[in-house]
Structures are given as structure tokens and as C-alpha cells.
Amino acid sequence: MAEALQEQMRENVNEIRKIDTEQGKMTETLSKYEAQRQENDTVKDELGRLEDGAKVFKLIGPVLVPQDLEEAKDNVKKRLEFITGEIDRYTKTHEGLGDKRKEIIGKCQDIQKKMQDLQAAEKKDKEKGSDQ
């Protein structure tokens, strides 16, 4: 029984490691999206300050191409919606992994308790055997 408990513990620890790795990657991605959101918020603010008819240029490769102000505002708005959606999606997934991690840690604690109880019972049996 002890070997089965140890195997369960190993499996759970490996699962926790996988979750930790995945959460680390998600945290990194979330940071990138947050930076993009801040940049796009700044661009949105700057575009909002411009007067109607102001010239706006978009950098495409090494060339600045003229772009309509309203089109630029719409593009930034759509980009912000996409980025915000991705942040929400990654945040929910990250939280879900955190909940799963807590659940697995609870299982590990239960297994550890069972192992301690088993060891205590074995010790008790040895003491009874040596008393006779």
C-alpha cells in the first residue's frame, strides 16, 4: 500500500510541476498583453487629441503610409478589444490552473496523512511484536 501511495504522490507532484510551468508561461504572455494594452491605450489617447482631418501615418515595414484618422481610431479600438479579450481568457485559464493546483496539493496532503498513519500503524505493530 505504501508503494501505491508513493506512486500517487509522485504523479501529483509531477502534475503540480506541469501546472507551475504552464502558469509561468501564461504569466509571461499576460505581461506581454498588458504591455500591448498600455501601448494601445496611449495611442488611443493620442489619436483622441487630434483634430478632425489631422494627418495620421501608419508604419508598414520601412514606409510611412497615410491613414484616415477614423480608420486609425477604429483599428486601435479593435486591437484593444482583442487584447482585452485575450487578457480575460488567459486570466481565467490561469485562475483555473491555480484552482487545479490547490486541489492536487490537497490530494498530496491527504496522501501524506495516509502515509504517516500507515507508518504509525507499522511502528505500533513492531512495538507489539517486540513486547511479546
Side-chain angles (χ1 to χ4, degrees), residues 2 11 18-20 28 31 51 67 69 71 80 83 86 90 94 97 103-105 114 117-119 123 129-130 132:
E11 289 173 6
K18 287 178 189 176
I19 289 172
D20 287 345
E28 198 174 301
S31 295
E51 296 176 10
Q67 187 177 27
L69 178 59
E71 182 182 346
L80 279 169
I83 291 168
E86 288 297 294
Y90 271 87
H94 192 274
L97 286 173
E103 180 184 322
I104 294 171
I105 288 173
K114 287 177 185 176
D117 291 346
L118 188 62
Q119 286 175 344
K123 184 177 179 182
S130 64
Q132 295 175 356

Side-chain angles (χ1 to χ4, degrees), residues 73-83:
K73 287 180 181 181
D74 285 344
N75 287 343
V76 171
K77 181 181 175 187
K78 287 177 187 174
R79 219 175 303 133
L80 279 169
E81 288 172 0
F82 172 78
I83 291 168

